[in-house]
Amino acid sequence: MGSLPPSLDLPADPKHGQQRQIDESTLLNLFKAQQNHLNYFFRHLDLSQALSFSQTLLNTTGTIFFSGVGKSGFVANKISQTLVSLGIRASFLNPVDALHGDIGALSSLDVLVLFSKSGNTDELLRLVPCARAKAIQMVFGDTVAIALMGARNLTKEEYATNHPAGRIGKSLIFKVKDVMKKQNELPVCREGDLIMDQLVELTSKGCGCLLVVDPDHHLIGTFTDGDLRRTLKASGEAIFKLTVGEMCNRNPRTIGPDAMAVEAMKKMESPPSPVQFLPVIRDQNVLIGIITLHGLVSAGL
């Protein structure tokens, strides 16, 4: 991040008609104050207690419940969600609801973790102390979560199964066949077709190319909108007599349906020059689909 400007302009104060500003030194002092709170916490952290706490969570055979009031409650909820994402049975227990029957969800196999800055409810109502406690609790909880992840030997693949909608999950789960276009979505033509007769097919399928196939659907080559521009520039009016087969690329990059989608993206971006799509082929070079860079980005990869 670059250096902050001398001041940050804010909307004018409606009462006085003056432009409000935040001084750089004031903002910097606030960040330093937060850093001091974190440093104080780690200097006074009892590592043996932290280790014992982490080991208890690791050895739990039931569910790990987290609970807290106010800002501590938000942190407790967040940490429970983090552990769930690691495949650990965890849940947030609202302390108010617990007193009205939800405490019945607890069993002797479970662990209940209570978050509070000092155990004094009145202090939790104070904004600044709560904000400080929230920052430290979040760091502590995430650190413990990382320790549990390592102790459980959680792999990326296992993490991905708990995050199917996240980018990491998609990159480790989605295969080419899951995100490719197929059948009627494919911009196909024959090598004997005239280029000018295939303009609608070239532009209407949103792939930026034509996939040239033989009668048995074997891939012969590709013809892109870039090829069209280059051919028009080089041939002029002669383009009206040229066939797709005469001008297509007969050695395009391809990929199989069972390859990972993230590998398709890497292949598109590889030297000597990036491409925007890959024909998807199976045995004997039979065309079954196309995967596009736009499709991969739209899928969140």
Side-chain angles (χ1 to χ4, degrees), residues 13 45 93 104-105 107 131 141 152 159 170 200 202 206 221 259 281:
D13 188 330
L45 175 66
L93 181 65
S107 74
R152 290 166 62 94
Y159 182 84
K170 290 176 180 177
V200 173
L202 175 63
I281 59 172

Side-chain angles (χ1 to χ4, degrees), residues 167 170-171 174-181 255 259-269 275-278 280 290-301:
R167 185 167 185 176
K170 290 176 180 177
S171 68
F174 279 18
K175 294 185 176 182
V176 168
K177 61 186 176 184
D178 297 321
V179 294
M180 72 181 188
K181 292 186 176 186
I255 198 165
M260 302 306 295
V262 69
E263 290 301 320
M265 180 172 286
K266 291 179 181 178
K267 198 167 188 178
M268 289 182 194
E269 297 172 344
V275 296
Q276 301 293 312
F277 66 90
L278 293 174
V280 183
I290 185 172
I291 187 167
T292 66
L293 183 60
H294 180 268
L296 289 171
V297 173
S298 298
L301 290 165

Side-chain angles (χ1 to χ4, degrees), residues 181-200:
K181 292 186 176 186
K182 46 194 172 184
Q183 299 177 351
N184 294 334
E185 298 177 292
L186 302 182
V188 295
C189 70
R190 302 291 176 84
E191 60 179 328
D193 293 338
L194 292 174
I195 292 175
M196 300 308 291
D197 290 342
Q198 295 300 316
L199 293 184
V200 173

Side-chain angles (χ1 to χ4, degrees), residues 105-117:
L106 291 174
S107 74
S108 58
L109 299 177
D110 301 328
V111 170
L112 176 60
V113 181
L114 300 176
F115 275 91
S116 173
K117 180 178 182 293

Side-chain angles (χ1 to χ4, degrees), residues 77-251:
N77 192 17
K78 186 269 178 189
I79 294 174
S80 70
Q81 293 172 359
T82 297
L83 294 188
V84 169
S85 75
L86 302 180
I88 298 173
R89 282 185 295 174
S91 182
F92 175 72
L93 181 65
N94 186 294
V96 176
D97 293 337
L99 295 176
H100 291 272
D102 284 4
I103 200 170
L106 291 174
S107 74
S108 58
L109 299 177
D110 301 328
V111 170
L112 176 60
V113 181
L114 300 176
F115 275 91
S116 173
K117 180 178 182 293
S118 65
N120 189 326
T121 303
D122 290 337
E123 284 195 14
L124 295 179
L125 299 177
R126 300 175 186 174
L127 179 60
V128 175
C130 285
R132 293 174 181 171
K134 177 183 177 182
I136 293 172
Q137 290 170 353
M138 194 81 74
V139 172
F140 180 78
D142 284 345
T143 302
V144 170
I146 293 172
L148 292 177
M149 181 173 64
R152 290 166 62 94
N153 295 318
L154 187 74
T155 65
K156 286 186 177 180
E157 288 71 23
E158 291 171 330
Y159 182 84
T161 60
N162 297 323
H163 285 261
R167 185 167 185 176
I168 294 177
K170 290 176 180 177
S171 68
L172 295 172
I173 294 176
F174 279 18
K175 294 185 176 182
V176 168
K177 61 186 176 184
D178 297 321
V179 294
M180 72 181 188
K181 292 186 176 186
K182 46 194 172 184
Q183 299 177 351
N184 294 334
E185 298 177 292
L186 302 182
V188 295
C189 70
R190 302 291 176 84
E191 60 179 328
D193 293 338
L194 292 174
I195 292 175
M196 300 308 291
D197 290 342
Q198 295 300 316
L199 293 184
V200 173
E201 189 74 5
L202 175 63
T203 58
S204 63
K205 298 296 178 66
C207 298
C209 69
L210 291 170
L211 302 174
V212 189
V213 297
D214 67 12
D216 295 321
H217 231 60
H218 295 102
L219 181 68
I220 295 175
T222 62
F223 184 83
T224 69
D225 49 11
D227 293 328
L228 174 63
R229 291 190 296 271
R230 287 185 288 272
T231 302
L232 180 60
K233 182 178 180 179
S235 305
E237 293 184 0
I239 195 174
F240 288 96
K241 297 180 181 180
L242 293 175
T243 64
V244 178
E246 292 177 281
M247 305 305 296
C248 72
N249 172 17
R250 292 179 177 265
N251 189 32

